Amino acid sequence: MALLPKQWRNLTPQQRETRDFYLMILPWLIGFVLFTGGPVIYSFIISLTNWTGMNTRDWVGLQNYVELFTVDPLFGTVLANTFIYGTVSVLLGVIAALGIALLMNQKVPGISIFRAIYYLPSVTSGIAIAIMWGWMFNPRSGLVNAVLALFGITGPTWFTSSQWAMPGLILVSLWGIGPNMIILLAGLQGIPQHLYDAARIDGANRWQEFTNVTLPMLSPVLFYVTVISLIGSFQIFENVLVLTNGGPGTATRVLVFDLYQNAFVNSRMGYASAQAWILCVVIMVMTWLMFRISRRMVHYEHGA
Amino acid sequence: MRRLRRAKRLRRMINVLLIYLIAATGAIIFVMPFLWMLSTSLKASNEIFVFPPRWLPSSLHFENYAEALDMLPFGRYLANTLFIVIGNILGNLFSCTLAAYGFARLRAPGKNILFLLMLGTMMLPLWVTLIPQYIMFSSIGWSNGFAPLMVPAWFGWPFFIFLLRQFFMTIPQELEEAARLDGATTLGILWYIFLPLAKPALATVVVLAFIGNWNNFLTPLVYLRDSDLHTISIAINRFRGQYGGTNYNYMMAISVLAVLPVLTIFFFAQRYLIQGIVMTGSKN
Amino acid sequence: MANKRKLHFSRTLQVTLIAIFALLVTGQVFAQDPITLTLALHWEPSFQPTQEAFDQAFMERHPDIRIEVIYNTWGDHNAIVPTWAAAGELPDIVYTHGSRATPWAAGGICANLDSYIEATPEFDVAGIFPVALAQYQYQGSQYALPYDHGVILLGYNKDLFDAAGMAYPDETWTMDDLREAALALSIPGQQWGFGGYYNGISLAGEGGVSFLGPWGGASFNETEDVLLFDTEGSRAGLEFWYSLMAEGAIPNAADVASMGGGQIMYTGMDAMWAMPSWETPAFHDNAGFAWDVAPWPTGPAGRVTGAFGSGFCITTQSENPDAAWLYLSEYLSKEGMEFMWGSTGRGSPARQTAYQSWIDSELAPEHASYYLDALANYTVNGRPFQSVTGPEIMDVINQNQTLLNAGEISIDQFIANVMEQSAPIFAREQ
């Protein structure tokens, strides 16, 4: 910071902090203006047109938004599907990732092999793994129903059943918890051992240790994992495309699938952009709510 | 006394066994897709779709690997992929730590709005920003090359900025205040206090950036028109053809090979991921 | 000393400049700058060498043209081409799937080829099957040209017919024969007399023609602005196929999923199936049993089957449309089609004269000539392909078809649903 002009150096501590903040985020800010902001604004403008994605583009104002909420018979279903997939897969996914991260944090020999195995489905290239899921959830010969059969349960037909296609997609998402597991594992490393020692001296049992030390100390990372998963799962697309194609009927038609269909199959890019902005607002509201709630539940070292 | 110790050891042993049992059960479920992929990669093409499916190929066709590797210049693709991956990792480490520190620790007007704006850029689906972004990069002559896949990383990625911000917020405030009283600059605090303490988080960024870019496929395909610039994940996707004629065995062979570098990196990074002792020491 | 060196330097500079200038001038006069043509397609890696060989030969014939191929993936080509278009970076020639022909012609991606075709009689446009040409016509003009036009015939598993001691399907077969044989060759839950078209019974596109046409039914009218599922013919077709499904002779959605989805045909558990010509290479590779094709059986309303294909167009943003046409006219000539798709067995050529090379190829089945016969006599293009709302209506049909194949709705509900759900889409475009 020594290279800065002189008048920048005689600042109050708060002014200095503000200056430092903007200097620190400057690379991101420049990138935002240069690379991200433009396309984002452009996509919003497009949502106010009837652009086909090709040569026809007329201004239609809010017509796309109006049509989505009043005419489009699918949009309600699509929003509901997205919401169900988004919330349930995040809830189950975060709990599962936390459980596995705790397990993988145990100091027993050979645990690093297990860590790699749990991570394996997440590192496999998207298209190959998506095809794998189709084979895993095969109603008659797939692994999932074979496991269910061990418990005497006749497995459903999964992706060809309106009732089970969505649960199937949610189950598939659980295989992809590798990154969350790693992030949580890194978070667990940051919890000072002396807190556990202190808890033990106070006579806490394992569960109390977990609720009184692990959870609060892990809460910033847990919060991160939840928000990021939510942003991702509300935009699920590839697995839907390969596994169910949005069906049967409209049972797994989620928003980004519908949007892709409009943008590149139905030649309605303007309409698709309007859908994208509604999705953006939905996720934004949910994120904001989570930040509000987190103020009471997430434990930071700093009241920022 | 001895009995007590023996009981303690027994309990510890049961504990370890229990951990193995649970971990192994889950591991079987998680390793299955990979094993199926491995099995498919070794099958003759007329055995892939037989019913009921066979876990073990009736004969092992290791030549699938040689044949698949022979179809495209994978040496070049590996170099291209590594170039993009490493460029992205370095860029992210540089710009994301800076921004993350700002968002985690410094107070400034407009900070919360900027943070929400940053998160907001992750919330628009790629499919509607694809064309605008392509138009933009094309207008500065970047429509065929690595630049659009690498330069933005040097300006930070919200996913990692947010991640590092969360980790930085768990670092005890007292350390920083002490350093500040000693006259340390903001950059000094970041470099000497935060980065060493956040090693597990930085290792996480490295691992996630590696995989994310290693498997990233659509944007590279859009910006790398020249097939000499293609990446491994583009090649894998190219095996999925228009007709039922996808060579699944070749596709899976390349996919199996493509997992290996990622796993290597992961094993290597584990050393930094799992090192809680360093942090607890500094707290006291 | 210093002066001398300066002089020396300036003379060197002079000589060099003159030399460079001379090189530039002679270069302009003697060596024509080669034109670079870019071509975007999505061949999978195993087919790439054929493309490279064609381009090599082309460049030897035309040293002033250089060919650069952009290899997209099949799954993303249709999203990437409009992306290029929006930025003004379209290649000279792009692969155009039959379903994209109208959107890309209407959307200003594909250029009108009429004047080129007219000016090049040796291209022999009349040698291309009219049904294949029709797929790429928009407002009376030709906007793309087909390389392959696939037809649906009746594929059958010779091993299963042999095991049952039954005669193979032939040109005398009617739909009643198909029904009888399908029932005889079915073992509930294990073997299906008729496997359907990819994911079972298909009601739109080329499948719709083959599955409804023999009863006089159809999914769309000629102008593709009215759905015809509620006609008598369509209903008769629907009832024929879904009664076979109910009797266990056609796999339902769950059965198809059990057999590996669209790949059910390769398992060898179907005795017969709807076999498009473009699937023959995949069958050659993946089927572990003997198989062949027969004509699509005759129905009460006659013999008719569906077809669909793919082609190439010259883009409106091409800077060298003349060179692009030169390439396209050789690529899609008799010799070009024979070299690329016929002799390799990769696809059934869209030209009558090139067809024999495909029939003779290693990948084509024994009775591949039935495909030629079908193209010449009883083939209709799958609809929709020429309306702007087509893809959306198709989506509605497919959604309901998955429910029907899963046994979740009845035929009556299916008809009611598609008629009702498509109405607002038709209305919006009027």
Side-chain angles (χ1 to χ4, degrees):
Chain A
M1 308 287 152
L3 296 171
L4 295 171
K6 220 172 211 153
Q7 63 271 27
W8 279 33
R9 283 191 239 161
N10 301 326
L11 299 170
T12 65
Q14 179 51 49
Q15 282 173 322
R16 199 177 308 138
E17 205 169 331
T18 302
R19 176 202 69 190
D20 284 358
F21 169 76
Y22 279 97
L23 280 176
M24 299 285 260
I25 69 156
L26 194 60
W28 169 74
L29 205 55
I30 293 172
F32 177 77
V33 172
L34 285 184
F35 302 125
T36 325
V40 166
I41 293 166
Y42 197 112
S43 81
F44 181 69
I45 294 172
I46 287 170
S47 79
L48 303 174
T49 71
N50 67 352
W51 195 30
T52 54
M54 290 170 280
N55 55 0
T56 308
R57 174 158 47 178
D58 299 313
W59 191 261
V60 297
L62 291 174
Q63 191 191 306
N64 288 329
Y65 292 90
V66 172
E67 187 183 335
L68 273 169
F69 284 110
T70 58
V71 185
D72 194 329
L74 276 183
F75 195 58
T77 314
V78 161
L79 272 181
N81 287 341
T82 310
F83 195 80
I84 289 167
Y85 178 86
T87 46
V88 178
S89 72
V90 168
L91 206 66
L92 295 180
V94 170
I95 292 171
L98 178 62
I100 293 178
L102 288 171
L103 190 66
M104 292 299 112
N105 199 35
Q106 303 300 316
K107 282 159 192 72
V108 294
I111 199 80
S112 64
I113 307 276
F114 283 114
R115 283 193 204 114
I117 289 177
Y118 281 100
Y119 198 37
L120 206 48
S122 309
V123 303
T124 314
S125 174
I127 190 75
I129 202 82
I131 292 167
M132 280 310 135
W133 299 131
W135 291 346
M136 292 280 125
F137 280 79
N138 185 316
R140 289 218 291 165
S141 61
L143 185 82
V144 178
N145 281 2
V147 170
L148 289 177
L150 288 181
F151 299 98
I153 303 167
T154 310
T157 57
W158 295 113
F159 301 128
T160 56
S161 147
S162 289
Q163 208 180 341
W164 287 100
M166 185 58 90
L169 279 179
I170 291 170
L171 271 183
V172 165
S173 76
L174 293 184
W175 261 277
I177 56 176
N180 284 349
M181 173 195 84
I182 289 183
I183 294 166
L184 289 170
L185 208 47
L188 286 172
Q189 304 311 309
I191 303 176
Q193 184 61 38
H194 70 87
L195 291 182
Y196 287 109
D197 299 340
R200 218 160 286 162
I201 290 165
D202 292 346
N205 60 24
R206 277 282 174 96
W207 177 250
Q208 286 165 328
E209 255 180 60
F210 175 70
T211 52
N212 295 336
V213 180
T214 310
L215 267 189
M217 291 306 286
L218 198 60
S219 57
V221 179
L222 213 47
F223 174 67
Y224 168 81
V225 162
T226 313
V227 170
I228 289 293
S229 304
L230 193 89
I231 293 174
S233 67
F234 268 71
Q235 298 184 49
I236 182 185
F237 171 68
E238 194 172 66
N239 280 349
V240 174
L241 186 74
V242 179
L243 295 174
T244 66
N245 211 26
T250 54
T252 56
R253 201 176 178 93
V254 288
L255 208 146
V256 177
F257 179 87
D258 197 54
L259 173 161
Y260 175 86
Q261 200 77 18
N262 278 323
F264 294 104
V265 181
N266 301 345
S267 307
R268 302 189 76 198
M269 185 58 86
Y271 196 65
S273 300
Q275 287 185 297
W277 273 88
I278 290 170
L279 177 68
C280 184
V281 168
V282 169
I283 305 176
M284 186 67 99
V285 167
M286 298 212 40
T287 309
W288 180 77
L289 276 176
M290 286 171 68
F291 269 89
R292 284 301 295 265
I293 296 166
S294 77
R295 272 187 211 164
R296 256 175 285 147
M297 296 171 65
V298 177
H299 171 88
Y300 293 119
E301 283 291 316
H302 184 289
Chain B
M1 188 67 184
R2 195 184 292 163
R3 194 186 293 165
L4 196 72
R5 211 184 300 153
R6 200 185 295 159
K8 219 174 175 183
R9 207 189 302 156
L10 193 71
R11 204 187 314 149
R12 161 106 188 122
M13 242 166 70
I14 291 173
N15 251 340
V16 169
L17 271 178
L18 208 66
I19 289 169
Y20 278 136
L21 194 73
I22 300 171
T25 314
I28 291 173
I29 298 172
F30 273 73
V31 81
M32 280 300 173
F34 183 77
L35 291 184
W36 184 250
M37 207 158 106
L38 192 67
S39 152
T40 306
S41 75
L42 292 168
K43 281 179 182 169
S45 54
N46 64 7
E47 202 182 5
I48 296 171
F49 299 109
V50 286
F51 190 87
R54 289 180 200 149
W55 277 91
L56 288 175
S58 56
S59 61
L60 296 178
H61 292 261
F62 287 104
E63 73 272 12
N64 286 346
Y65 281 78
E67 283 166 18
L69 283 173
D70 211 34
M71 282 187 175
L72 294 170
F74 278 100
R76 185 194 301 253
Y77 292 173
L78 179 67
N80 294 341
T81 312
L82 284 176
F83 183 61
I84 296 173
V85 163
I86 291 168
N88 268 281
I89 290 176
L90 295 179
N92 277 316
L93 284 179
F94 162 73
S95 55
C96 295
T97 41
L98 287 181
Y101 180 83
F103 281 122
R105 278 303 215 255
L106 300 173
R107 279 160 303 179
K111 180 171 104 169
N112 288 338
I113 292 191
L114 283 173
F115 190 71
L116 215 58
L117 202 63
M118 182 191 79
L119 290 184
T121 60
M122 291 196 284
M123 298 172 189
L124 266 185
L126 167 104
W127 298 110
V128 295
T129 49
L130 182 70
I131 291 184
Q133 195 158 52
Y134 188 81
I135 293 174
M136 178 193 69
F137 281 128
S138 143
S139 69
I140 52 173
W142 283 7
S143 56
N144 179 27
F146 295 124
L149 308 173
M150 296 177 73
V151 175
W154 289 85
F155 295 92
W157 198 34
F159 189 86
F160 293 138
I161 296 176
F162 186 17
L163 175 72
L164 290 172
R165 168 195 183 256
Q166 294 304 95
F167 275 92
F168 287 167
M169 284 174 92
T170 65
I171 290 172
Q173 181 107 40
E174 308 91 67
L175 291 172
E176 188 181 359
E177 274 158 9
R180 216 174 267 281
L181 285 178
D182 288 346
T185 62
T186 304
L187 272 185
I189 290 169
L190 176 62
W191 184 259
Y192 291 107
I193 297 177
F194 277 71
L195 292 191
L197 285 179
K199 264 188 201 164
L202 295 174
T204 309
V205 168
V206 170
V207 169
L208 297 184
F210 192 100
I211 296 151
N213 286 287
W214 185 267
N215 286 341
N216 189 13
F217 144 70
L218 187 76
T219 24
L221 179 65
V222 171
Y223 289 105
L224 305 175
R225 287 166 72 126
D226 184 348
S227 60
D228 283 348
L229 305 180
H230 277 186
T231 62
I232 289 182
S233 98
I234 294 179
I236 291 174
N237 278 272
R238 278 193 57 202
F239 277 103
R240 188 175 167 85
Q242 172 181 9
Y243 308 125
T246 302
N247 296 119
Y248 284 99
N249 44 2
Y250 293 154
M251 181 176 177
M252 295 308 167
I254 300 298
S255 300
V256 167
L257 293 180
V259 165
L260 300 181
V262 191
L263 278 189
T264 314
I265 288 290
F266 181 60
F267 266 109
F268 186 72
Q270 278 203 32
R271 225 186 301 166
Y272 298 93
L273 270 171
I274 313 300
Q275 54 144 27
I277 316 96
V278 181
M279 290 198 67
T280 47
S282 61
K283 170 97 188 186
N284 293 332
Chain C
M1 184 78 183
N3 256 347
K4 203 170 180 187
R5 194 184 290 162
K6 214 178 196 174
L7 193 75
H8 186 73
F9 176 75
S10 74
R11 184 163 304 159
T12 317
L13 192 72
Q14 245 174 6
V15 171
T16 318
L17 280 178
I18 289 170
I20 290 173
F21 183 71
L23 268 175
L24 280 176
V25 171
T26 50
Q28 289 231 314
V29 174
F30 294 113
Q32 242 179 335
D33 260 358
I35 294 169
T36 300
L37 275 187
T38 47
L39 167 67
L41 37 76
H42 57 70
W43 309 138
E44 59 275 8
S46 54
F47 194 51
Q48 193 169 330
T50 311
Q51 180 68 41
E52 283 164 1
F54 180 88
D55 292 342
Q56 199 55 44
F58 180 88
M59 287 188 276
E60 276 160 25
R61 286 194 298 275
H62 308 281
D64 52 332
I65 301 178
R66 226 166 56 80
I67 305 293
E68 265 175 21
V69 181
I70 302 170
Y71 290 97
N72 278 335
T73 58
W74 158 239
D76 298 283
H77 180 78
N78 291 347
I80 291 177
V81 169
T83 306
W84 287 333
E89 297 219 0
L90 278 172
D92 298 288
I93 299 170
V94 293
Y95 167 96
T96 309
H97 187 250
S99 68
R100 295 288 93 192
T102 296
W104 288 1
I109 288 178
C110 292
N112 189 329
L113 298 176
D114 283 352
S115 58
Y116 284 111
I117 293 170
E118 219 166 284
T120 321
E122 63 274 21
F123 177 68
D124 183 27
V125 74
I128 299 176
F129 297 109
V131 66
L133 282 176
Q135 181 115 49
Y136 309 90
Q137 281 156 2
Y138 174 68
Q139 295 180 345
S141 289
Q142 198 73 38
Y143 278 80
L145 287 164
Y147 71 88
D148 146 277
H149 209 64
V151 180
I152 296 176
L153 289 189
L154 185 65
Y156 59 96
N157 183 328
K158 288 171 135 180
D159 294 351
L160 293 183
F161 272 84
D162 290 344
M166 288 167 59
Y168 299 147
D170 60 27
E171 58 274 3
T172 66
W173 270 37
T174 64
M175 284 296 171
D176 289 335
D177 294 318
L178 181 141
R179 180 182 160 80
E180 210 173 298
L183 288 170
L185 286 164
S186 295
I187 305 169
Q190 284 180 44
Q191 183 177 306
W192 286 272
F194 183 78
Y197 186 56
Y198 294 100
N199 293 310
I201 297 166
S202 171
L203 299 170
E206 64 279 11
V209 176
S210 299
F211 283 71
L212 303 176
W215 289 265
S219 39
F220 288 86
N221 67 341
E222 286 287 307
T223 42
E224 296 178 6
D225 46 13
V226 176
L227 282 183
L228 300 177
F229 285 106
D230 56 351
T231 60
E232 216 170 291
S234 296
R235 199 179 279 272
L238 281 164
E239 271 158 15
F240 175 86
W241 299 108
Y242 283 95
S243 73
L244 272 178
M245 186 185 276
E247 289 169 81
I250 295 180
N252 61 26
D255 296 327
V256 172
S258 298
M259 303 295 123
Q263 283 89 26
I264 185 170
M265 305 182 279
Y266 311 136
T267 59
M269 304 184 82
D270 294 341
M272 295 176 281
W273 58 91
M275 174 83 190
S277 52
W278 61 75
E279 278 295 335
T280 53
F283 257 80
H284 181 268
D285 285 351
N286 297 324
F289 50 88
W291 59 280
D292 203 351
V293 292
W296 191 246
T298 321
R303 201 196 289 279
V304 59
T305 196
F308 217 72
S310 304
F312 285 89
C313 81
I314 296 176
T315 67
T316 52
Q317 292 166 8
S318 169
E319 282 170 14
N320 299 296
D322 294 348
W325 170 251
L326 180 68
Y327 182 88
L328 211 55
S329 63
E330 292 192 11
Y331 199 50
L332 303 178
S333 67
K334 170 180 180 283
E335 292 74 20
M337 284 192 190
E338 282 176 350
F339 180 85
M340 287 298 299
W341 302 282
S343 60
T344 58
R346 179 56 171 16
S348 48
R351 265 181 198 281
Q352 178 116 28
T353 47
Y355 218 83
Q356 193 60 38
S357 66
W358 180 73
I359 293 173
D360 294 340
S361 77
E362 195 195 334
L363 301 189
E366 192 187 338
H367 284 95
S369 56
Y370 282 135
Y371 281 110
L372 181 58
D373 175 56
L375 264 172
N377 297 310
Y378 61 95
T379 295
V380 171
N381 281 336
R383 290 189 188 281
F385 68 89
Q386 55 182 6
S387 56
V388 183
T389 49
E392 251 177 290
I393 307 277
M394 181 94 157
D395 196 12
V396 167
I397 298 169
N398 286 336
Q399 285 165 27
N400 286 288
Q401 182 190 307
T402 56
L403 293 175
L404 188 54
N405 287 354
E408 294 186 17
I409 56 173
S410 67
I411 292 177
D412 286 332
Q413 278 170 300
F414 169 81
I415 295 172
N417 285 0
V418 292
M419 300 311 270
E420 186 195 315
Q421 291 165 12
S422 58
I425 302 169
F426 284 129
R428 193 184 66 228
E429 290 306 314
Q430 272 156 15

